[in-house]
Amino acid sequence: VNIKYRGFDKSFWQVKGAEKIMFGLDDIAGQSEVIIVEGEMDKLALEQAGFKNVISVPDGAPGKVKEGPVPAPEEDRKFEYLWNCRAALDPVQRIIIAADADAPGLALAEELARRLGKERCYRVTWPEGCKDANDVLQNEGAATLRACIENSEGFPVRGLFRFSDFQDDISNYFSVSDNSEMKGVSTGWTSVDR
């Protein structure tokens, strides 16, 4: 298991050659819902807000989303820690990805969801002016941080749509004037006729 060090100037380093795992892995044992954050301070901020089922990635975020399919586990060096923690993450039903609100954070969220399965991943939106969980705790308080986590939204899944995506098209298609024969016949119940 690796050890991560932090210098006073916010420099980081780890033990070379040690197995990388997620920070706080023991905190998610047996949990059906897990929150993944980008840094250790974000994990601690969420703990302060009452969430114990939080883990942090050990290496921060990638610069951008990698093109093409997800590499095989043995070739996926940047996300080696994710494959090393697979036994703890596979049984989890709901994964909330609370990455930073910058380009690398968005890339991290996308890459994690690609590897963990978008169908069970949810993403957090931070308030205006806040970059991450720690910023929200410091600037807005624990209640706002809890609300951000509780209001996380599902990742878009290719080929899966919501009715609201087509609501205008459907309304326009069935929109007819009152005097048109397409209007139909009353059922006798005004609430159904609408």
Side-chain angles (χ1 to χ4, degrees):
V1 177
N2 209 328
I3 300 170
K4 185 174 183 179
Y5 299 94
R6 179 180 176 146
F8 66 90
D9 59 348
K10 205 175 176 185
S11 60
F12 300 95
W13 65 95
Q14 299 180 38
V15 175
K16 191 171 182 130
E19 179 184 32
K20 290 185 180 184
I21 62 169
M22 300 182 92
F23 176 65
L25 194 60
D26 292 339
D27 295 339
I28 67 165
Q31 298 291 322
S32 62
E33 180 177 281
V34 170
I35 304 166
I36 299 177
V37 295
E38 193 171 329
E40 293 83 2
M41 293 302 171
D42 297 325
K43 176 190 173 12
L44 297 174
L46 282 164
E47 284 193 13
Q48 186 68 33
F51 297 98
K52 305 297 183 206
N53 56 332
V54 184
I55 52 178
S56 172
V57 301
D59 289 337
K64 62 179 183 173
V65 176
K66 188 173 183 178
E67 296 293 322
V70 173
E74 59 277 359
E75 298 170 7
D76 198 9
R77 303 307 303 158
K78 176 65 179 161
F79 293 91
E80 173 187 10
Y81 60 86
L82 198 57
W83 302 110
N84 291 340
C85 298
R86 215 44 203 241
L89 292 170
D90 279 348
V92 175
Q93 296 170 4
R94 180 178 161 98
I95 299 171
I96 299 172
I97 300 174
D100 291 5
D102 55 13
L106 297 174
L108 175 65
E110 180 66 25
E111 292 289 4
L112 289 173
R114 288 176 64 196
R115 286 161 176 81
L116 295 167
K118 288 186 177 185
E119 68 281 355
R120 64 181 180 149
C121 289
Y122 295 77
R123 59 182 163 196
V124 173
T125 302
W126 303 120
E128 188 71 34
C130 293
K131 181 182 101 140
D132 57 26
N134 194 33
D135 278 357
V136 176
L137 180 65
Q138 289 181 18
N139 298 325
E140 305 288 333
T144 300
L145 181 53
R146 281 190 297 275
C148 289
I149 298 298
E150 291 162 1
N151 294 317
S152 59
E153 295 183 358
F155 270 79
V157 176
R158 185 178 304 165
L160 183 63
F161 301 97
R162 294 183 176 167
F163 179 80
S164 60
D165 296 336
F166 303 101
Q167 188 169 358
D168 291 341
D169 293 336
I170 293 169
S171 295
N172 290 338
Y173 181 79
F174 288 105
S175 162
V176 292
S177 63
D178 285 338
N179 57 0
S180 169
E181 63 183 46
M182 296 290 291
K183 177 92 171 135
V185 179
S186 172
T187 62
W189 296 306
T190 54
S191 62
V192 174
D193 290 345
R194 292 185 192 162

